[in-house]
Amino acid sequence: MHVRLPALWLVAGCLGGAETSVPTATVTEGRFEITLSIPGELKAQKSVALSAPDLPGQAKVTWVIDEGSRVEAGAELLRFD
């Protein structure tokens, strides 16, 4: 039955009849990508608490690494004046 069904559609399409508007598209070979936007929250498997150095007066942060940046051990994360 699975083999005959496509053949029946082919024959029915060749018999003519009333014009019908069927949407068509050109098919090209390429990468097929599916993107899903799913709300949620990510939590770090491991985190470290940071604290400001004991500086005289009030310390001012002058630079902070961009959020989401990948870092290696010992990388500079922020600077104080």
Side-chain angles (χ1 to χ4, degrees), residues 2-80:
H2 292 290
V3 176
R4 293 181 190 162
L5 190 55
L8 290 175
W9 286 336
L10 180 61
V11 171
C14 294
L15 292 177
E19 285 283 325
T20 60
S21 177
V22 177
T24 62
T26 303
V27 177
T28 59
E29 185 175 335
R31 183 177 173 177
F32 184 76
E33 184 175 323
I34 298 175
T35 303
L36 300 174
S37 297
I38 302 172
E41 184 175 318
L42 298 176
K43 293 186 180 184
Q45 290 180 339
K46 182 179 179 184
S47 62
V48 177
L50 300 175
S51 60
D54 191 18
L55 300 172
Q58 195 173 31
K60 179 180 176 185
V61 175
T62 58
W63 177 84
V64 177
I65 193 167
D66 290 334
E67 183 177 338
S69 298
R70 292 186 180 264
V71 296
E72 300 290 326
E76 184 177 34
L77 304 178
L78 58 95
R79 290 183 198 140
F80 293 98

